Amino acid sequence: MPDRSTRRLLVLRVVVLAMLATLVGRLAQLQLLSGDEYAQAATGNRVREVVTPAVRGDVLDVTGVPLLRDRPALVVTVERSRLRAEPDGGAAVLERLAPLVGRSADALRQAVTPCGGGVVAPCWRGSPYQPVPVAEVAADDAEGLQRVLAVEERAEDFPGVAVVPRGVREHALPDPTTAAHVLGHVGPATPEDGVRVDSLVGRGGVEASYDAALRGTDGVERLEVDHLGAVTSRAPAVEPVPGSTLVLSLHAGVQAVAEAALREALAAARTQPARGGGGALLRADSGAVVVLDARTGRVVALASAPSYDPSVFVGGLSTEQYAELVDEARGAPLLSR
């Protein structure tokens, strides 16, 4: 019996020593071999980035006439982390802000709520620490400017709310449908674009082809936060770099003439009888014009009809609006001929 008990104690000691050796080995691996990696990961979890969008570059015709540009506007933003620090979670702030920006408090609350975790759109797809744009006022809107500037005048009533200047993309020609298919438009980024999900990227035309150069480089400010999400320090901000200016071979004047001629030709064609007779008129709902310089081959004008107003994409496109743009009964205005 004593020999059997001794053997059992010996086996138990070996097992305990093996377990201790395994734990010590694992601890050494975490502390010595992977310590720096885990330290960097922990630091990364405490750092949040706040991005200032860069001004998108202008697009000019061959004579320097602006075709695309960022028009000045004031954008009202809400910093969600500041709202959460309020005793009521920022409810009173949103109630005071709602009439100034022409939106309900519930709509504002939904707009600043991060997407994910069962939250349905509309919601905020960017960083929870990124100020969320909730309203935009054009620089020439005197009444709107007076309302939103009240936020600056009574800053103590609007913690976490700011009014910042920002560029809003617009087609600069008098008729915004001019060269719409050539110039394209901008829209929200998707994960496949490889940029921030709250960025705007080119969708179609030269906006898409030269997106990287036109977009510029956004500014970044890094915030360090504690385990509760409160900001503890701010690193010096990196200022944004505006996008490059793009000069096309198009001539705005010739482009306007080409589009007018195309519309007149389509209207005249609709007065002609269709093949087969029977009194039916020719259906002419689409067409295109290409104007080249015979000496150099450069493109002077590209017209496609029917056209569309790219400004409908600013701020997001509804399902009904998109359906109209691709409706074949309307000539599918979004399709470039």
Side-chain angles (χ1 to χ4, degrees), residues 18-316:
M19 294 175 63
L20 287 175
T22 301
L23 291 174
V24 170
R26 180 58 176 162
L27 180 61
Q29 179 186 9
L30 293 175
Q31 291 291 336
L32 301 178
L33 300 180
S34 304
D36 291 341
E37 177 183 347
Y38 285 105
Q40 291 177 2
T43 301
N45 287 336
R46 295 199 306 267
V47 175
R48 301 292 183 268
E49 292 185 346
V50 174
V51 178
T52 302
V55 176
R56 197 169 177 87
D58 292 346
V59 177
L60 312 178
D61 85 339
V62 70
T63 66
V65 173
L67 303 175
L68 291 171
R69 63 189 173 195
D70 274 14
R71 60 176 171 83
L74 289 181
V75 176
V76 180
T77 65
V78 175
E79 191 174 342
R80 184 171 179 269
S81 59
R82 291 282 302 278
L83 288 186
R84 292 176 59 190
E86 292 295 301
D88 60 354
V93 174
L94 296 181
E95 289 287 349
R96 289 192 290 268
L97 180 62
L100 298 179
V101 298
R103 302 181 67 178
S104 69
D106 287 340
L108 293 177
R109 191 174 299 107
Q110 186 75 10
V112 302
T113 301
C115 298
V119 177
V120 298
C123 52
W124 175 238
R125 297 187 302 163
S127 165
Y129 295 90
Q130 178 78 20
V132 181
V134 297
E136 168 200 317
V137 179
D140 57 357
D141 182 357
E143 182 180 349
L145 291 176
Q146 186 176 6
R147 289 200 313 271
V148 300
L149 288 178
V151 174
E152 294 290 305
E153 296 169 356
R154 296 157 39 208
E156 67 279 3
D157 293 334
F158 299 96
V161 181
V163 180
V164 295
R166 189 168 297 176
V168 177
R169 204 60 166 171
E170 72 169 0
H171 282 233
L173 296 176
D175 182 357
T177 66
T178 303
H181 297 94
V182 180
L183 300 176
H185 58 274
V186 294
T190 64
E192 292 73 21
D193 292 311
V195 298
R196 296 186 350 267
V197 294
D198 55 321
S199 297
L200 293 177
V201 296
R203 298 296 185 201
V206 298
E207 287 276 38
S209 300
Y210 296 92
D211 179 67
L214 291 170
R215 196 181 334 127
T217 304
D218 293 337
V220 179
E221 182 183 14
R222 289 178 170 82
L223 310 178
E224 188 166 335
V225 300
D226 60 18
H227 66 288
L228 296 176
V231 177
T232 58
S233 65
R234 297 173 181 262
V238 177
E239 296 299 321
V241 178
S244 301
T245 297
L246 176 65
V247 180
L248 303 180
S249 64
L250 293 184
H251 190 291
V254 178
Q255 179 73 30
V257 171
E259 299 212 18
L262 177 58
R263 288 192 294 269
E264 293 174 3
L266 289 175
R270 296 187 193 104
T271 65
Q272 303 301 314
R275 290 182 179 179
L281 297 179
L282 181 66
R283 178 182 176 183
D285 55 9
S286 62
V289 170
V290 178
V291 181
L292 304 178
D293 187 326
R295 298 165 299 177
T296 63
R298 74 178 179 90
V299 177
V300 180
L302 290 173
S304 178
S307 188
Y308 70 100
D309 183 354
S311 66
V312 299
F313 288 91
V314 177

